[in-house]
Amino acid sequence: MAVERVLSGMRPTGSLHLGHYHGVLKNWIKLQHEYECLFFVADWHALTTHYDTPHIIEENVWEMVIDWLAAGVDPANATIFIQSRVPEHAELHTLLSMITPLGWLERVPTYKDQQEKLSSKDLSTYGFLGYPLLQSADILIYKATLVPVGEDQVPHIEFTREIARRFNHIYGREPGFEEKAAAAIRKLGSKRGALYEELRTRYQETGDDEALEAARALIEEQQGLSLGDRERLLGFLEGGGKMILVEPEARLTPASRMPGLDGQKMSKSYNNTIALRESPDAVAKKIKTMPTDPARIRRTDPGDPLRCPVWQLHTVYSDDQRRDWVQQGCKGATIGCLECKQPGIDAVLAELQPIQERAAQYAQDPTLVKNIVADGCEKARKLARETMREVREAMGLAYS
Ligand code: TRP
Ligand code: SF4
């Protein structure tokens, strides 16, 4: 199997909260142990919507990195970097813009949706229209194969796949491609060469995905193959030309069950969040003032947990025994709402405590954080440069 590479980014537009933790971050932390991972601060993407409030981005870049580290994103297992520190993203964005039909961008659903939703801002800008293409450049420059994103971002990954396909179609068609591919097959040796041909035929005639995967694995395993020949063999498998850019797949982030303080999804725009670095007093106060089942006006009124956002907290943090206690105590009016909330408060505080301790350590040591990011930027840049060398060459820009 080809080795997967994971890439994801987050816009630095505010402090991270428990919704981010239970959705995105816990997923990243799991992925970093399974795959090669790159995670980056999408500061340019933040500018597409916050171009008139750059201080918001400036304030949140380092804070967001601290939140990631505190939550458990581990620089030993994942490359952490900042988009604008790898300017190759911008170069690829420009080059890809040459082959991007305007209609493709205009039809991306987030384009009109966000313009309507954020109607207080003028988003009829070139940068905002190009948002998905910049995202494509982020992904394609690392030849990432898996992109963990929320549901709303899936169209951007689809768009990225189409851009990669178009690029390979236009620039992978070098003169004499068929002959060069045949020569590359001979370099596999007679046994492997025959197997490659057999798998290719099987895939092309019957669409057998397993044959495609097996042939890709065969190419990945082959030592001493030049990059050009590898791309030819990969491209020849599916027809077309060289496969220079890799089509990524979306990996849907499992939905966070963490409710907001009002029972809606936890989100900054609903003003119902608990920040990762919220003080314990503020956490306790926020949970104590959470709304409950409106039927429980007095302590003696029975209630129904299904009509209460506090119950959702218990579904995240409580075991069966405590959930039974809530169900019975609420329906039978044998517990009060504050009593019911207390284990929720304790659980949130217990979860936040180690995160906040780590955050404090990083916050006290800005040099450490900057070094982690500098290191990550350097690693990312090395990968990005390699891709750009190929892209420039394919687009006729490798003048010597
Ligand atoms: N658009 C993403 C979001 O709003 C952030 C992002 C930018 C991203 N570039 C990316 C995510 C590349 C994944 C891959 O959440
Ligand atoms: Fe909600 Fe608990 Fe009060 Fe029932 S007892 S209304 S579940 S806070």
Side-chain angles (χ1 to χ4, degrees):
M1 265 295 284
V3 186
E4 306 280 2
R5 181 179 283 162
V6 172
L7 172 106
S8 200
M10 220 189 266
R11 295 150 34 94
T13 53
S15 41
L16 299 191
H17 51 66
L18 279 172
H20 295 115
Y21 179 68
H22 284 273
V24 180
L25 290 175
K26 276 182 15 188
N27 189 41
W28 285 11
I29 290 160
K30 181 167 137 312
L31 290 168
Q32 73 186 353
H33 298 298
E34 298 169 359
Y35 305 109
E36 178 189 358
C37 286
L38 296 131
F39 300 124
F40 73 98
V41 180
D43 53 351
W44 283 337
H45 276 103
L47 270 177
T48 63
T49 50
H50 289 63
Y51 55 84
D52 55 353
T53 50
H55 61 276
I56 293 188
I57 299 165
E58 222 171 348
E59 282 158 20
N60 283 297
V61 168
W62 296 110
E63 296 307 308
M64 193 163 84
V65 173
I66 290 175
D67 282 340
W68 291 358
L69 294 168
V73 179
D74 180 357
N77 287 307
T79 302
I80 299 172
F81 68 98
I82 298 173
Q83 184 181 36
S84 63
R85 299 272 177 101
V86 186
E88 284 80 3
H89 290 226
E91 184 183 356
L92 184 57
H93 177 231
T94 297
L95 294 181
L96 293 177
S97 77
M98 308 303 168
I99 61 161
T100 303
L102 262 187
W104 289 16
L105 284 168
E106 286 160 350
R107 277 194 296 274
V108 174
T110 45
Y111 178 58
K112 290 239 157 57
D113 289 357
Q114 292 291 103
Q115 272 189 336
E116 278 163 25
K117 235 171 144 185
L118 305 174
S119 56
S120 58
K121 287 183 186 154
D122 181 3
L123 291 182
S124 46
T125 59
Y126 179 60
F128 188 69
L129 177 66
Y131 186 111
L133 188 64
L134 180 58
Q135 186 163 350
S136 300
D138 298 337
I139 297 167
L140 297 174
I141 205 161
Y142 300 106
K143 303 194 179 188
T145 55
L146 289 179
V147 185
V149 284
E151 198 134 27
D152 62 315
Q153 295 286 309
V154 172
H156 293 179
I157 311 306
E158 270 311 309
F159 174 85
T160 302
R161 293 169 63 87
E162 277 163 27
I163 294 292
R165 229 174 286 149
R166 184 165 163 83
F167 183 94
N168 291 336
H169 182 77
I170 297 176
Y171 300 110
R173 291 180 170 273
E174 55 188 344
F177 173 72
E178 309 270 324
E179 292 75 39
K180 285 182 181 166
I185 294 172
R186 284 196 295 277
K187 287 183 201 160
L188 291 176
S190 58
K191 226 166 124 193
R192 289 179 159 249
L195 179 58
Y196 172 90
E197 301 238 49
E198 184 198 316
L199 292 167
R200 174 174 183 266
T201 308
R202 191 136 58 98
Y203 172 66
Q204 294 208 339
E205 284 178 359
T206 64
D208 181 347
D209 284 326
E210 275 177 30
L212 179 63
E213 278 307 310
R216 282 183 181 156
L218 181 92
I219 300 164
E220 293 298 333
E221 283 162 14
Q222 182 74 17
Q223 313 243 325
L225 214 54
S226 75
L227 188 63
D229 278 342
R230 231 168 62 139
E231 287 169 350
R232 282 178 197 105
L233 290 173
L234 287 170
F236 191 57
L237 268 180
E238 295 175 73
K242 281 207 264 185
M243 200 182 77
I244 300 166
L245 297 180
V246 174
E247 287 181 42
E249 253 171 65
R251 170 68 75 95
L252 258 197
T253 304
S256 156
R257 283 188 303 135
M258 185 69 204
L261 293 162
D262 54 0
Q264 297 188 80
K265 176 180 164 20
M266 186 178 279
S267 159
K268 193 177 57 168
S269 46
Y270 298 147
N271 202 10
N272 63 0
T273 63
I274 295 174
L276 291 184
R277 283 189 266 167
E278 195 100 36
S279 76
D281 284 348
V283 171
K285 189 161 160 220
K286 280 185 168 179
I287 297 178
K288 280 183 185 156
T289 52
M290 271 175 82
T292 58
D293 178 357
R296 293 206 73 185
I297 299 164
R298 281 174 299 259
R299 167 79 160 70
T300 48
D301 296 328
D304 179 358
L306 289 180
R307 278 199 279 269
C308 177
V310 178
W311 168 247
Q312 294 182 55
L313 262 189
H314 285 289
T315 67
V316 175
Y317 292 105
S318 296
D319 58 13
D320 285 347
Q321 197 188 349
R322 168 113 29 69
R323 290 186 203 178
D324 280 349
W325 172 78
V326 173
Q327 286 286 344
Q328 295 188 6
C330 182
K331 289 176 181 160
T334 56
I335 59 170
C337 289
L338 273 180
E339 209 178 336
C340 178
K341 286 171 171 180
Q342 192 57 48
I345 296 175
D346 296 340
V348 170
L349 291 179
E351 177 165 72
L352 289 182
Q353 194 199 359
I355 296 178
Q356 297 192 347
E357 277 172 16
R358 281 193 296 266
Q361 283 170 3
Y362 285 112
Q364 272 169 20
D365 194 349
T367 314
L368 172 63
V369 178
K370 295 203 170 172
N371 284 340
I372 288 170
V373 169
D375 191 46
C377 290
E378 202 178 308
K379 282 190 195 143
R381 223 171 157 193
K382 225 176 122 203
L383 298 171
R385 282 203 186 107
E386 271 171 39
T387 305
M388 284 319 296
R389 208 173 301 133
E390 293 174 63
V391 167
R392 284 187 212 113
E393 189 182 321
M395 292 183 79
L397 296 168
Y399 314 113
S400 53

